[in-house]
Amino acid sequence: MSSNKSSPHGNGSIRERAEALCELVREEAVASERQGRLTDNLVGALLQAGLFSILLPESIGGLGGTRRDLFDAAEVLGRADGSTGWCISLCNAVNFVAWRGLGAEGRAEVFGRGPVACWTRLIPDAVSTATPGGYRVSGNWTYGTASSFARWVVVTSVSKDADGRNVYRAYAVPKEDVEITEGTWDTLGLRATSSVDYIIADKFVPAHRTYEFFSEGLAATGPLSAMESVWLNQVGLTAFASGVGQRALSEFIASAPKTKRIAAPGFQSEDHIVQSGVGELEGRLSAARSHYRELVTRQDEIVAQGKPAGPALRSELSLAAQTLARAAKDTALFAYEHSGASVVYASSPIQRCVRDLLTGLKHAGFSPSILARVGRNRLGLPPAPPTL
């Protein structure tokens, strides 16, 4: 399956759309980080290019892309700036999950008025009470990535059905019904993602902006399961890590022939430790990236048939995602360790890569427990129950 799908607007492939904005992303990166959110200029360009709507169908103004397209776009933009790649990943996943779940009336309200971005937190801890025509919803949340520009938030609650299964309900809430708690995103990295705390205080959500879904399973149409949403989110987040790792390596390779460390002979590029490190890390990144993209392509082919990926492929994807993310982190740390003293300044692209990766890889999608799950599978043990 090709990842070079042309956009419906005739402006090249989805990857080419992302590449066309990289210069702007780099230009706005410092201002975005200082503001704690992507700049209005950058957000407008991303919305206009449809890059928050990669997975949405062309019939509603989306780009009709695949998971492989999402990976490529998030990687390209993550290489230009980590916070931008992170927002692309999260917003695309939430947009697609909401579109799949909502009915015609809900889709029209959320997606029917031009390009839009949504945000969420997957933890199902909303408090809701059924009321005539819908639900009253309340809750306090953290990690509101993209809340500075997204127009809708999707929150979820969980209950048990008669068979004891988890039944989730999602609620699409307009931003005007959300209290944003400014100043709560003071972090090591990903500073421009505006991942602030937020509150919904007893707001009415009409029934057409809600839908039910379950823990597991995948249908050709209808809502994605909770775990399928997690696996979708993994694609873009892994792409973010890959892009940032590549950026750190490229910045280091560009600076090494011009940088001479104090008390060391010659330039960095002449040091055999640097030479072997660059060769090894570039090889690790390249191999891990190729393997992960191949698996995502295989997943696209299966999903296109309306089938679930299956536990074996999911296990491979999880392991490949961890491997690529760890290679990206090791690459960024190597670049930082062997750079000149100027890397300590916040304006250093390499320092920003390190900060963004160390922050992003604290996401639950990169938990070391995932490797334990893969190990259980390889050792023939029964799978641990999902914790979402």
Side-chain angles (χ1 to χ4, degrees), residues 4-285:
N4 294 317
K5 180 179 178 67
S6 295
S7 79
H9 307 289
N11 292 326
S13 71
I14 291 170
R15 184 183 185 92
E16 288 168 345
R17 282 180 159 243
E19 289 171 340
L21 289 179
C22 283
E23 183 176 355
L24 176 63
V25 172
R26 287 190 291 267
E27 290 173 352
E28 300 286 311
V30 173
S32 292
E33 181 154 291
R34 287 174 178 168
Q35 293 176 19
R37 60 180 178 83
L38 301 186
T39 65
D40 294 342
N41 187 34
L42 176 54
V43 169
L46 293 168
L47 284 167
Q48 184 64 32
L51 289 171
F52 295 119
S53 305
I54 292 170
L55 300 173
L56 298 185
E58 297 176 12
S59 60
I60 64 165
L63 300 186
T66 63
R67 286 163 172 77
R68 171 74 172 266
D69 290 314
L70 172 58
F71 180 92
D72 287 348
E75 182 186 54
V76 163
L77 293 168
R79 181 167 179 161
D81 171 58
S83 289
T84 302
W86 189 267
C87 288
I88 287 292
S89 171
L90 270 292
C91 289
N92 271 287
V94 181
N95 272 6
F96 183 67
V97 167
W99 178 82
R100 278 287 300 264
L102 291 169
E105 187 177 359
R107 290 177 177 179
E109 186 172 356
V110 175
F111 299 108
R113 290 175 284 181
V116 67
C118 301
W119 88 91
T120 193
R121 189 175 182 218
L122 289 173
I123 305 301
D125 50 7
V127 176
S128 71
T129 304
T131 192
Y135 299 82
R136 300 207 71 86
V137 177
S138 299
N140 300 282
W141 292 271
T142 55
Y143 301 112
T145 293
S147 56
S148 61
F149 61 84
R151 299 210 304 264
W152 297 86
V153 61
V154 178
V155 297
T156 59
S157 62
V158 63
S159 60
K160 297 286 187 180
D161 66 8
D163 297 322
R165 293 187 305 169
N166 283 342
V167 180
Y168 300 90
R169 180 168 289 277
Y171 312 84
V173 181
K175 187 173 183 177
E176 53 265 31
D177 285 349
V178 181
E179 300 173 35
I180 301 293
T181 310
E182 300 291 353
T184 52
W185 186 242
D186 185 11
T187 56
L188 175 70
L190 293 177
R191 288 176 167 267
T193 61
S194 187
S195 301
V196 295
D197 300 354
Y198 56 100
I199 299 169
I200 298 174
D202 192 32
K203 296 298 183 180
F204 175 72
V205 182
H208 70 264
R209 280 200 266 112
T210 79
Y211 59 92
E212 283 189 349
F213 59 103
F214 294 93
S215 302
E216 298 280 356
L218 172 67
T221 60
L224 293 183
S225 70
M227 293 311 300
E228 193 68 25
S229 300
V230 171
W231 296 317
L232 173 63
N233 194 35
Q234 177 195 75
V235 174
L237 297 187
T238 306
F240 145 83
S242 178
V244 175
Q246 291 174 52
R247 172 69 181 277
L249 184 61
S250 67
E251 292 285 346
F252 180 70
I253 289 173
S255 65
K258 300 177 286 187
T259 303
K260 185 179 183 301
R261 298 291 296 275
I262 296 174
F267 293 94
Q268 285 175 319
S269 59
E270 299 167 0
D271 186 333
H272 75 279
I273 295 177
V274 168
Q275 294 165 2
S276 61
V278 166
E280 177 188 352
L281 291 165
E282 185 170 34
R284 283 178 60 193
L285 265 178

Side-chain angles (χ1 to χ4, degrees), residues 331-342:
T331 299
L333 289 173
F334 177 89
Y336 182 89
E337 180 180 356
H338 291 278
S339 289
S342 62

